[in-house]
Amino acid sequence: MTLPSGHPQPKCPRHVAIIMDGNGRWAEARGLPRSAGHKAGIDALRRAVRAASAAGVEVLSLYSFSTENWRRPKAEVAFLLSLLRRFIRQDVADLHAEGVRIRVIGARDDLEPSLVRLLAEAEQLTKANTGLTLVIAFNYGSQQELARAARKLAEQVAAGTLAPQDIDMARLGAALDTSDLPMVDLLIRTGGEQRISNFLLWQCAYAEFVFLNLFWPDFDAAAFDKALADFAGRDRRFGGLKARSA
Ligand code: FPP
């Protein structure tokens, strides 16, 4: 792809996913409760949305609460749930004004009906926006998502509306929560750990990984740009031999 000037298009990932890790350690290092780290994490989340929009990224997926996070102490779980409510209530109007489309992925069954309604309203309000798509992964687990998709297809087979031989990658991809989204190009994880933690396993099949040695509340536009620069320097071959343009 080239720009009108004839220069090659700088390689910008279409879909960036972030594992926002290190809130607790950020707080503990300051002698603060873990909740203060999560609160500061919301400010970092806002910075990430702004930086992704400015860079021309199409989709930003944020791992906000995993299916495994229910194992945390009750008070911390309650705090994260209330933080999501507060974030949606406080920010949805601004995000809408900025043209951001909100999508929420993950299982809704274990969430309170009032929270499910709030999330659905935010999605509904912003669904026609054409700016950044902000994917909030909440009560999300990739293996659970794949199992849900397999069940959906099995139900169609049982109902006689789908033949087993018609199940292929496209069908399975279309049964996932992310059916309308491109594959992940760049996965960023803060907090110093180098693992994927059940986040977008299918969607990260050919993602480039960038691990940042900073706690999530310290994430800013400079860190985002550094990750993008790192990505731009990668040679993506998608299993082939020659580099493709992004
Ligand atoms: C990991 O930090 C972070 C999370 C469990 C979730 C990320 C949450 C936020 C950024 C704020 C909430 C956002 C929404 C939209 C509700 P950690 O607690 O595992 O940190 P640690 O590894 O240092 O303990």
Side-chain angles (χ1 to χ4, degrees), residues 20-26 34 38 41-42 45 63-65 69 72 76 80 83-84 87 136 138 216:
M20 309 180 287
D21 196 13
N23 293 346
R25 282 166 286 162
W26 179 91
R34 291 176 57 83
H38 294 314
I42 289 284
L45 185 158
Y63 207 6
S64 305
F65 189 89
N69 285 153
R72 294 188 176 208
E76 183 167 343
L80 285 166
L83 216 48
L84 175 67
F87 171 69
I136 300 173
F138 203 89
W216 176 248

Side-chain angles (χ1 to χ4, degrees), residues 146-164 166-176:
L146 283 159
R148 271 202 309 278
R151 199 179 316 133
K152 251 188 251 173
L153 298 180
E155 281 164 2
Q156 291 171 22
V157 170
T161 55
L162 178 66
D166 289 338
I167 297 178
D168 55 12
M169 278 165 54
R171 290 267 181 183
L172 187 50
L176 297 174

Side-chain angles (χ1 to χ4, degrees), residues 70 106-113 116 139 148 151:
W70 295 104
R108 312 235 171 153
D109 325 6
D110 314 317
L111 304 178
E112 279 182 21
V116 173
N139 193 25
R148 271 202 309 278
R151 199 179 316 133

Side-chain angles (χ1 to χ4, degrees), residues 205-206 208 235-245:
Y206 282 99
E208 297 293 329
D235 178 18
R236 302 184 80 196
R237 292 190 295 278
F238 298 93
L241 293 179
K242 280 215 280 179
R244 292 187 195 175
S245 56

Side-chain angles (χ1 to χ4, degrees), residues 71-184:
R71 295 185 197 139
R72 294 188 176 208
K74 256 192 175 155
E76 183 167 343
V77 168
F79 188 79
L80 285 166
L81 287 163
S82 72
L83 216 48
L84 175 67
R85 267 183 212 275
R86 224 180 307 158
F87 171 69
I88 295 289
R89 288 205 183 107
Q90 283 179 357
D91 287 46
V92 76
D94 285 349
L95 292 170
H96 184 41
E98 288 160 24
V100 173
R101 180 171 76 111
I102 297 173
R103 288 269 286 102
V104 183
I105 61 170
R108 312 235 171 153
D109 325 6
D110 314 317
L111 304 178
E112 279 182 21
S114 64
L115 178 57
V116 173
R117 262 198 312 279
L118 187 70
L119 299 174
E121 281 164 13
E123 288 187 302
Q124 180 63 26
L125 175 72
T126 61
K127 73 171 183 202
N129 288 345
T130 55
L132 177 79
T133 295
L134 172 62
V135 180
I136 300 173
F138 203 89
N139 193 25
Y140 177 84
S142 190
Q143 291 176 320
Q144 291 84 342
E145 177 195 30
L146 283 159
R148 271 202 309 278
R151 199 179 316 133
K152 251 188 251 173
L153 298 180
E155 281 164 2
Q156 291 171 22
V157 170
T161 55
L162 178 66
Q165 61 271 24
D166 289 338
I167 297 178
D168 55 12
M169 278 165 54
R171 290 267 181 183
L172 187 50
L176 297 174
D177 298 357
T178 53
S179 57
D180 55 334
L181 304 172
M183 295 287 269
V184 175

